[in-house]
Amino acid sequence: MAARPELWDFPPFFCLQPTVATRRKQIAMWTEYVKSFSQHHSKTCINIFSDQDLEMFSNSKINRKLDKAGIREVLNSLCAQGFACWENETQNICLITLFPFSYIASDLYKWALENNHINSIFTLFELQTSSEAKTYAFFGLHMRILIEALKLLQTAQKVILIPGTTDDSLGIKFVS
């Protein structure tokens, strides 16, 4: 079991606090807890509507649970830290990763260098499922998470993204 925050049995912990400084600390505790819980339970996807009653967000001992607005704020914090991204614009489903996007981006480029794939073109699907990538952090990750990491590489001019008709047909060219 992931270690629960020290305020877990304190009912106000499950209500967003109005004071900015207090809320900042509260969200930080929730964020660390959700990362730890997700890692411990291999949970990579959180649905704001169907996961609200999970033990991650509810404490049956004190009959409290974090509401949808609180869950959304915690997940937005994870997104801001680079550990999560929203699956789509509705922001109902959040994809969580063990590693920050910056680490995944670095790992992708390391893979390209170590396997002599600079100036080679791949589809997102090929990157996600390549047998060469089984020992790298990005192997098997959700496509949206890979896209977020690839955007960082694009900003650093280490990759060129070539639009495809679908996410999995997105072309990726690693450059030096």
Side-chain angles (χ1 to χ4, degrees), residues 2-172:
R4 291 188 168 139
E6 72 179 72
L7 297 176
W8 186 254
D9 291 330
F10 186 55
F13 183 63
F14 290 85
C15 302
L16 289 178
Q17 297 303 301
T19 306
V20 174
T22 305
R23 182 181 287 201
R24 191 176 300 127
K25 290 176 187 173
Q26 176 191 27
I27 295 301
M29 282 190 271
W30 270 108
T31 301
E32 288 307 310
Y33 175 61
V34 169
K35 281 194 307 194
S36 174
F37 185 96
S38 297
Q39 179 181 0
H40 182 78
H41 293 281
S42 300
K43 186 154 184 65
T44 59
C45 180
I46 295 176
N47 183 314
I48 287 182
F49 296 103
S50 62
D51 290 344
Q52 184 182 15
D53 294 325
L54 288 180
E55 65 178 303
M56 179 181 356
F57 297 116
S58 64
N59 182 339
S60 58
K61 179 178 168 186
I62 60 170
N63 196 28
R64 296 287 181 155
K65 65 182 177 182
L66 191 61
D67 66 13
K68 290 175 186 72
I71 294 171
R72 187 177 308 277
E73 191 161 334
V74 169
L75 296 177
N76 278 332
S77 175
L78 280 169
C79 290
Q81 292 177 20
F83 282 93
C85 64
W86 292 105
E87 186 178 56
N88 56 38
E89 295 80 34
T90 62
Q91 295 189 352
N92 294 328
I93 298 173
C94 191
L95 305 169
I96 298 175
T97 179
L98 174 62
F99 304 105
F101 297 138
S102 58
Y103 179 85
I104 296 166
S106 175
D107 206 44
L108 280 161
Y109 200 71
K110 178 182 170 188
W111 171 83
L113 287 171
E114 289 177 354
N115 291 283
N116 298 315
H117 292 314
I118 300 300
N119 295 318
S120 297
I121 299 175
F122 297 88
T123 64
L124 186 57
F125 179 77
E126 288 173 317
L127 277 182
Q128 185 186 37
T129 61
S130 170
S131 60
E132 290 178 336
K134 285 185 178 179
T135 60
Y136 292 85
F138 66 87
F139 180 75
L141 289 178
H142 193 281
M143 287 185 192
R144 286 288 304 132
I145 290 173
L146 287 176
I147 289 170
E148 292 300 317
L150 287 165
K151 287 178 184 176
L152 293 175
L153 288 174
Q154 183 179 37
T155 300
Q157 300 181 339
K158 292 184 176 183
V159 74
I160 297 170
L161 299 179
I162 306 158
T165 55
T166 61
D167 278 351
D168 61 348
S169 67
L170 174 73
I172 297 110

